[in-house]
Amino acid sequence: MRRLKQDWVVALPDKQLIERLIDYWKHSQYSEVLQLRVFSQWETLWQYVKLQPECRLFVVDVDWLHRLEADEETTHILSKLNIFVLTDDPVSIQREGVSTATPYQPLDKLFEQGMRQGSAVYEGGAQYSSDGEDSNQGQRNASGGTCKVVTVCSSGGGIGKTTLAFQIAHYAAELGKKVFYWSLSAHAEWDLFTLSSDKSSISFPTNGFSQLLYCLQRMRTSDLDPSIYTVSIPILRADTFEANIPQAEWDALTGERIAQVIDWLKRSKRYDVIVLDVDANITRNKAAIQISDQLLWVVVDDMVQMNKMERCFNDWQSEAPSCYEQLLMKGKIVVNRYMGVMLNRWQRNDLSVDCYLPYIPQWKQLHRHEQWFSSAVYQAALEELIQTHLPWLSRREWKSAI
């Protein structure tokens, strides 16, 4: 059994205090058990709270709490949050169940008090888990609205397709979206995120996906609960299917079956965003293109890889014109590991680069998976990609406004 990492939202107008808190957190034992999202500007905080975020502890300045209470768009959301107010005047807090602390005390004491408050609402064992998974994850429903499908694909391996799919899934989860990530590859790479701190692999149910395909054929989809057939990727805060799907199941996974599974996920009303991570298999690529609301085609500045992509586009244009038209309409070309200049070009005039993502060499040496999501350079480029090509998902205010 190991303790879950607490998720704190810290909202304070005092930037010096925030800088002290972040610096202490990074260099203390709390970096292993806490995840912080920080706001130092009122407008970004206000927009974020309206998204009805889920967090273990909402650490807020007393004046900002009063402003949130006075606003019709946010006051009802506060009742769902575990609020921890930093103030020297606790008498001024009228809301019941709110804990207070003075910000002018040793930071270790402040964090210790916050940890106790964050754990208090999870009495009864919910703050502990054998696999790091939220015990209520399977019971949560989507926040409402239409479930969107984003497909990330490429014409070859080792390009960074899965990394981008991870980043989009993580980004959506940070906004409080309910996310489903599905790697349509027989050799899924997401299971590297399922290692516990002692490097032992988390155990998952066997043959759940095979049972799902059978049940989808025999039962009404409304009768199938996704929590029975899915598992959680804790660091992404997203659900997925098991990694050990038999090869025979992949061989039989037609475009029609893929569409059936996606339709079932959407009809379950459990998810806001579905991220498909698609390999070079043309059957799966075609199905994903037809299902997706948006498709991101990842390529690197490499002559061989660019030639593969161009040949794939040529094949679709001649063999599947309708699919090719959808590809041009939905697809955006993303150059990954961009070094500031393109050295290679393709021959087709109807293809152009829509977005560039930077090369982060440090990722090749990472031992802590959460650092994949902490590169300021990459996150800025990712935000620009989402703002431009996935505007329904973009929320600039989720990031720290420091």
Side-chain angles (χ1 to χ4, degrees), residues 336-348:
N336 194 34
R337 301 174 188 163
Y338 181 60
M339 302 291 288
V341 61
M342 290 288 291
L343 301 179
N344 298 283
R345 293 288 186 271
W346 45 68
Q347 301 299 315
R348 296 182 62 103

Side-chain angles (χ1 to χ4, degrees), residues 123-174:
E123 293 178 351
Q127 72 267 37
Y128 294 94
S129 171
S130 60
D131 59 4
E133 180 179 343
D134 186 344
S135 60
N136 294 322
Q137 177 71 23
Q139 304 302 319
R140 296 176 183 169
N141 289 323
S143 59
T146 303
C147 177
K148 297 283 190 176
V149 180
V150 180
T151 294
V152 183
C153 63
S154 68
S155 54
I159 292 177
K161 163 183 58 68
T162 295
T163 297
L164 178 56
F166 283 165
Q167 293 283 346
I168 292 174
H170 184 268
Y171 181 99
E174 285 286 298

Side-chain angles (χ1 to χ4, degrees), residues 98-141:
V98 172
S99 299
T100 64
T102 176
Y104 306 108
Q105 61 174 304
L107 292 180
D108 58 335
K109 301 298 183 183
L110 183 61
F111 273 82
E112 182 179 326
Q113 188 173 347
M115 287 292 294
R116 288 198 300 268
Q117 177 64 18
S119 296
V121 296
Y122 285 80
E123 293 178 351
Q127 72 267 37
Y128 294 94
S129 171
S130 60
D131 59 4
E133 180 179 343
D134 186 344
S135 60
N136 294 322
Q137 177 71 23
Q139 304 302 319
R140 296 176 183 169
N141 289 323

Side-chain angles (χ1 to χ4, degrees), residues 188-239:
E189 298 168 329
W190 64 263
D191 57 343
L192 71 91
F193 278 157
T194 65
L195 295 178
S196 60
S197 57
D198 62 0
K199 305 303 180 184
S200 59
S201 183
I202 297 171
S203 61
F204 293 123
T206 303
N207 297 328
F209 187 72
S210 301
Q211 295 170 10
L212 171 63
L213 294 181
Y214 176 82
C215 291
L216 286 177
Q217 293 287 329
R218 302 292 181 180
M219 301 173 62
R220 294 181 303 170
T221 57
S222 58
D223 295 332
L224 300 179
D225 181 359
S227 64
I228 298 175
Y229 304 98
T230 60
V231 297
S232 177
I233 308 177
I235 196 171
L236 294 184
R237 288 190 287 175
D239 290 344

Side-chain angles (χ1 to χ4, degrees), residues 63-79:
D63 292 332
W64 280 5
L65 175 62
H66 292 331
R67 292 180 69 178
L68 291 170
E69 290 175 325
D71 192 299
E72 293 183 357
E73 295 188 68
T74 55
T75 183
H76 68 286
I77 300 174
L78 296 179
S79 62

Side-chain angles (χ1 to χ4, degrees), residues 36-323:
L36 300 185
R37 280 174 287 177
V38 181
F39 297 86
S40 63
Q41 294 185 7
W42 164 254
E43 286 296 327
T44 55
L45 172 67
W46 178 69
Q47 293 288 346
Y48 180 77
V49 172
K50 288 197 301 179
L51 297 173
Q52 303 189 38
E54 294 179 358
C55 61
R56 184 70 66 88
L57 195 65
F58 183 54
V59 184
V60 64
D61 173 75
V62 61
D63 292 332
W64 280 5
L65 175 62
H66 292 331
R67 292 180 69 178
L68 291 170
E69 290 175 325
D71 192 299
E72 293 183 357
E73 295 188 68
T74 55
T75 183
H76 68 286
I77 300 174
L78 296 179
S79 62
K80 304 176 183 178
L81 298 175
N82 182 27
I83 301 174
F84 187 62
V85 182
L86 298 187
T87 177
D88 281 332
D89 184 19
V91 180
S92 64
I93 306 299
Q94 303 297 322
R95 182 177 291 271
E96 294 184 3
V98 172
S99 299
T100 64
T102 176
Y104 306 108
Q105 61 174 304
L107 292 180
D108 58 335
K109 301 298 183 183
L110 183 61
F111 273 82
E112 182 179 326
Q113 188 173 347
M115 287 292 294
R116 288 198 300 268
Q117 177 64 18
S119 296
V121 296
Y122 285 80
E123 293 178 351
Q127 72 267 37
Y128 294 94
S129 171
S130 60
D131 59 4
E133 180 179 343
D134 186 344
S135 60
N136 294 322
Q137 177 71 23
Q139 304 302 319
R140 296 176 183 169
N141 289 323
S143 59
T146 303
C147 177
K148 297 283 190 176
V149 180
V150 180
T151 294
V152 183
C153 63
S154 68
S155 54
I159 292 177
K161 163 183 58 68
T162 295
T163 297
L164 178 56
F166 283 165
Q167 293 283 346
I168 292 174
H170 184 268
Y171 181 99
E174 285 286 298
L175 298 178
K177 303 292 185 183
K178 302 302 182 293
V179 182
F180 191 89
Y181 165 83
W182 189 12
S183 175
L184 285 165
S185 171
H187 304 287
E189 298 168 329
W190 64 263
D191 57 343
L192 71 91
F193 278 157
T194 65
L195 295 178
S196 60
S197 57
D198 62 0
K199 305 303 180 184
S200 59
S201 183
I202 297 171
S203 61
F204 293 123
T206 303
N207 297 328
F209 187 72
S210 301
Q211 295 170 10
L212 171 63
L213 294 181
Y214 176 82
C215 291
L216 286 177
Q217 293 287 329
R218 302 292 181 180
M219 301 173 62
R220 294 181 303 170
T221 57
S222 58
D223 295 332
L224 300 179
D225 181 359
S227 64
I228 298 175
Y229 304 98
T230 60
V231 297
S232 177
I233 308 177
I235 196 171
L236 294 184
R237 288 190 287 175
D239 290 344
T240 190
F241 293 122
E242 59 186 314
N244 57 335
I245 297 175
Q247 183 63 47
E249 294 292 350
W250 285 115
D251 294 340
L253 195 60
T254 63
E256 182 179 357
R257 301 301 295 275
I258 292 171
Q260 185 181 34
V261 173
I262 296 297
D263 182 67
W264 165 68
L265 289 170
K266 295 175 71 172
R267 288 177 179 272
S268 74
K269 300 186 183 302
R270 187 66 57 86
Y271 302 105
D272 300 299
V273 182
I274 298 174
V275 180
L276 301 181
D277 182 351
V278 181
D279 61 17
N281 182 292
I282 191 167
T283 297
R284 294 166 198 152
N285 272 336
K286 284 183 178 179
I289 289 171
Q290 294 168 343
I291 294 168
S292 297
D293 295 288
Q294 185 66 72
L295 182 139
L296 303 175
W297 193 284
V298 184
V299 68
V300 292
D301 186 8
D302 175 86
M303 182 177 63
V304 174
Q305 294 293 348
M306 294 178 72
N307 181 256
K308 284 183 179 180
M309 185 191 77
E310 192 167 12
R311 288 171 57 189
C312 184
F313 278 53
N314 291 339
D315 291 342
W316 280 353
Q317 186 175 20
S318 61
E319 299 176 11
S322 61
C323 186

